[in-house]
Amino acid sequence: MSSKKGKRKTGSAKEPSKLAKKYEDLSDKEWVELAAKGTLAWRKDLISSPKMARALLTTDAAALQTQLEGMMKLTDTHCNILDAALLDIYTHVIWKAREAQLNVLQTSAFFSLVVELINNIREKQMPLSENMEYFKQAMRTHSVMAPWDGVSSIPDFDLRTISIVTEHIKTTIFQHYALYFHVLSQPFEPETVPFQLSYRTPIVPPPLSEAVPLPEMKANNPAFAHAASATQHNGADDSASHHHDDASERASPTPSRTSPHLAASIQPIAEE
């Protein structure tokens, strides 16, 4: 008689839950791997890595502009008004991200979004209403209305970042849209105006090591001593004259409000 051994059912082992992570604990590799699908961050030719974002957020103002000029290929920010305007826009984005303490992914996404809005003006001459709609759609796609949970993909903009990015773009690009449109959508050709400037090369002053003390100069040069004495005398005369004028003004009686000629012409009117 054969007996069948019953198979014991074993419950399926539960997968261990992922531990929630924090922004400050992420490595550069995790910043890239955990970014949401279709993220605005890490775009090629823009802020393409966490290392680059960190460098922009921690450098001083002069070095920041130098780095942005190279990254965005702005070759003439001193004479070309278009390059100067773009450098100003991009610098303010990084500075805002630094002030608001955005992380490296949020900074990269913020920068990419501003570049897209600017390119809509430069390349497509997009009117304000269409560019605002483009911005709204981008924010819906790349934002979540909650803080990051530490497990799922990292959104470009979380609840705190949405208001920061929206307020900045509203008060810069959209508020001055006509100005940006005029500067960015018009071709710019610098005008060179030649002119000649004549000047004389100044005489090199004698070295101070050859200077002579003033008492010795007066003793050895009577003409110099006489000129210095005359200057002091004239200064004393001017001072005395000034004090005399002040004294005369104080001593003179206060003039009457009615001149003598006017007083003489005013006669009482006889009653008829």
Side-chain angles (χ1 to χ4, degrees), residues 9-176:
K9 285 187 177 182
T10 58
S12 59
K14 294 183 179 180
E15 296 182 359
S17 58
K18 295 182 180 179
L19 295 177
K21 297 183 179 181
K22 297 181 179 179
Y23 286 138
E24 55 268 23
D25 298 331
L26 298 178
S27 64
D28 286 1
K29 183 179 180 181
E30 289 174 321
W31 275 116
V32 176
E33 292 178 347
L34 292 176
K37 185 178 180 180
T39 177
L40 291 169
W42 320 136
R43 295 286 177 88
K44 184 181 179 181
D45 298 330
L46 299 179
I47 303 179
S48 57
S49 68
K51 182 179 179 181
M52 182 182 294
R54 199 174 295 110
L56 293 173
L57 288 170
T58 55
T59 189
D60 58 75
L64 171 61
Q65 291 193 331
T66 301
Q67 293 182 34
L68 289 175
E69 286 175 356
M71 184 177 73
M72 303 306 295
K73 299 178 176 60
L74 305 176
T75 58
D76 188 8
T77 56
H78 295 287
C79 297
N80 190 318
I81 190 173
L82 176 59
D83 284 358
L86 291 174
L87 179 61
D88 183 73
I89 294 169
Y90 300 148
T91 302
H92 276 78
V93 172
I94 301 300
W95 216 255
K96 183 63 179 181
R98 178 185 298 187
E99 290 178 351
Q101 298 181 348
L102 303 188
N103 61 47
V104 289
L105 185 143
Q106 293 167 346
T107 300
S108 178
F110 182 20
F111 191 88
S112 298
L113 178 58
V114 170
V115 170
E116 288 187 358
L117 296 175
I118 293 300
N119 287 340
N120 287 342
I121 301 175
R122 293 182 60 191
E123 300 171 2
K124 303 177 183 179
Q125 287 78 49
M126 187 177 288
L128 174 60
S129 58
E130 293 183 17
N131 218 358
M132 290 182 67
E133 187 60 34
Y134 182 94
F135 169 71
K136 292 178 183 178
Q137 184 60 39
M139 293 301 289
R140 294 192 194 102
T141 304
H142 301 284
S143 304
V144 293
M145 298 298 293
W148 181 49
D149 57 13
V151 178
S152 57
S153 299
I154 305 175
D156 289 345
F157 309 116
D158 57 17
L159 183 61
R160 185 184 78 92
T161 318
I162 291 173
S163 59
I164 296 172
V165 172
T166 302
E167 182 66 18
H168 178 82
I169 293 177
K170 172 187 173 183
T171 56
T172 55
I173 298 176
F174 291 156
Q175 184 171 340
H176 306 285

Side-chain angles (χ1 to χ4, degrees), residues 216-229:
E216 183 180 344
M217 184 69 178
K218 290 181 179 180
N220 298 333
N221 193 339
F224 177 83
H226 177 72
S229 176

